[in-house]
Amino acid sequence: MSAVLTVTVVLLAALALALRWRPPPALATRAGPEGSTRPSARPGPDEWSVVLDAIASEVRAGSSLTNAFRTTVTRCSPRGKVVTPQSTLADVVARSSTDPHEALVIQCVSAAAALGGPMSATLHAGAGVLRQRAAVRAEAAVHSAQARLSARVLTGVPLMFAAWSLLASRSFRAALVSPPGAASAAAGVALNLCGWWWMRRIVDRAAT
């Protein structure tokens, strides 16, 4: 019975691991009128689009790009690696970011500072690109929901069936405690978990 109990615990642990599959990281939320945002892993394209739109609005209202940038980052408090509430325009245009959305913000601000002209149009155009990125990410997350559910079902059903058979069938328990049965069960659990990891990796990558 100790072997049966051990196998049962392993199956239940594997099932619990499968059901704990977390969805992809949530998209960052748009900043409010006062620049407040809900916490997320990192700013998303929609949050950065608000920053660019705010800078463009300040420029269109008559502020210089330097003052518009300073006012906007103070009010919106962006959570970037380069663009932060303490950033200045001179610091930002001289640096780069590994985050693609923040990098686009830096490129737009740098282009507006270097080229002049209709700076608000340049900044609004960059914000439009970021909003398109946010729409694509949201659509990918919606379409991947069915795939995530299917992966959970494909992972959980075999484990639940094995656990039920282990508890309800004496012949199944007898076969399972034999060396070939134990080896087959271990291989099945390992392959099932490998399949769960593979499906999770594919779906999460497609969703982001």
Side-chain angles (χ1 to χ4, degrees):
M1 282 302 292
S2 60
V4 174
L5 181 59
T6 301
V7 174
T8 303
V9 171
V10 171
L11 290 174
L12 293 177
L15 179 59
L17 180 62
L19 294 178
R20 285 186 60 194
W21 180 3
R22 297 186 301 270
L27 302 179
T29 57
R30 172 168 289 204
E34 290 75 30
S36 61
T37 57
R38 286 178 291 178
S40 63
R42 63 180 181 179
D46 46 358
E47 185 175 329
W48 286 119
S49 70
V50 172
V51 174
L52 280 182
D53 277 335
I55 298 174
S57 297
E58 292 286 338
V59 171
R60 195 169 56 249
S63 296
S64 67
L65 182 60
T66 300
N67 291 335
F69 182 86
R70 179 70 259 170
T71 300
T72 299
V73 297
T74 301
R75 183 175 69 247
C76 294
S77 299
R79 297 170 292 110
K81 298 179 179 178
V82 176
V83 183
T84 66
Q86 292 76 36
S87 299
T88 63
L89 181 63
D91 294 335
V92 168
V93 298
R95 299 178 63 185
S96 60
S97 174
T98 56
D99 181 83
H101 312 309
E102 185 180 18
L104 179 58
V105 173
I106 296 173
Q107 290 173 4
C108 290
V109 173
S110 300
L115 302 177
M119 292 184 288
S120 61
T122 300
L123 298 171
H124 278 310
V129 173
L130 290 169
R131 284 192 292 271
Q132 290 178 354
R133 290 183 181 179
V136 170
R137 290 181 66 187
E139 185 176 2
V142 170
H143 288 306
S144 65
Q146 181 63 42
R148 291 196 296 270
L149 178 60
S150 299
R152 285 189 176 187
V153 171
L154 291 174
T155 303
V157 167
L159 296 175
M160 293 178 63
F161 180 78
W164 172 256
S165 299
L166 187 63
L167 296 174
S169 174
R170 181 177 300 177
S171 60
F172 184 85
R173 291 195 296 268
L176 192 62
V177 296
S178 64
S184 299
V189 171
L191 291 174
N192 199 31
L193 292 179
C194 287
W196 163 79
W197 173 83
W198 190 14
M199 289 185 291
R200 175 181 177 176
R201 181 178 178 86
I202 292 173
V203 174
D204 285 358
R205 180 177 297 179
T208 56

